[in-house]
Amino acid sequence: DDGHAASSSSSSSFVLQLGRQEANAVLLLGESLVFQAMMQPINAQLRNLHTWGVWREKADDAKTLALPLFTVQPSDYVTRIGEHMLSLVQQLEPHMADDDPASPSSAKEEGGMHNEPLYWLDKVANKVLDTLTADIEKIDDFSDKGKRQMSADVSYLLNVMKALDVDTGEKVPKLMKMLE
């Protein structure tokens, strides 16, 4: 009788473990789909960025290059990315933890999906920086004018990320060094 109870307990434990593994797999898939949905508009803006002619354009004259960097406006693609990132705050706001001490305040609900907006904003911001860095590395013949434009674009994005208080880690210095 005790052997049957131990065997039943063991098989129940195995079934529960399998159930937990399946639930975790579904949660990971859900998080992946949420992230893909958040990134889709950004990926559309960054598609083939390294092939754009603007990065190879030569300045009209020496006066253009002598102008301070603040005279260069961010490109349309990067302002759309910034607007999308700012709109994510509004979309995530209903999911922010309230000040109720009884509500979970961890970045991940126990056994559940990440629910903190900063987790998602950090993840999106870091993916944007990774994508930009990879694309900048692919630009072979960056002109001075192209570098100035990319610097203005990156500065704009970094200002948006700073306003969102996202953690960009060590990515910013590497990116800025590439644009020197």
Side-chain angles (χ1 to χ4, degrees), residues 104-174:
S105 60
S106 64
K108 189 170 184 173
E109 287 183 20
E110 191 173 326
M113 213 160 125
H114 287 277
N115 66 348
E116 290 293 322
L118 276 179
Y119 165 82
W120 291 105
L121 292 173
D122 283 351
K123 191 169 175 148
V124 168
N126 281 286
K127 181 62 176 176
V128 168
L129 292 176
D130 289 344
T131 303
L132 265 177
T133 301
D135 268 336
I136 290 170
E137 287 174 339
K138 292 178 187 175
I139 301 172
D140 299 334
D141 46 350
F142 230 145
S143 69
D144 287 339
K145 183 179 178 183
K147 277 188 179 182
R148 289 171 59 82
Q149 183 60 61
M150 181 60 81
S151 291
D153 293 350
V154 168
S155 292
Y156 171 82
L157 260 184
L158 293 177
N159 283 335
V160 169
M161 291 176 186
K162 186 176 180 182
L164 294 173
D165 197 30
V166 296
D167 180 15
T168 56
E170 299 299 317
K171 297 176 184 196
V172 173
K174 177 184 178 187

Side-chain angles (χ1 to χ4, degrees), residues 79-96:
T79 57
R80 286 192 287 272
I81 291 171
E83 289 167 3
H84 175 69
M85 290 181 71
L86 292 169
S87 77
L88 288 176
V89 174
Q90 293 171 334
Q91 295 170 29
L92 294 168
E93 203 168 37
H95 305 285
M96 292 179 119

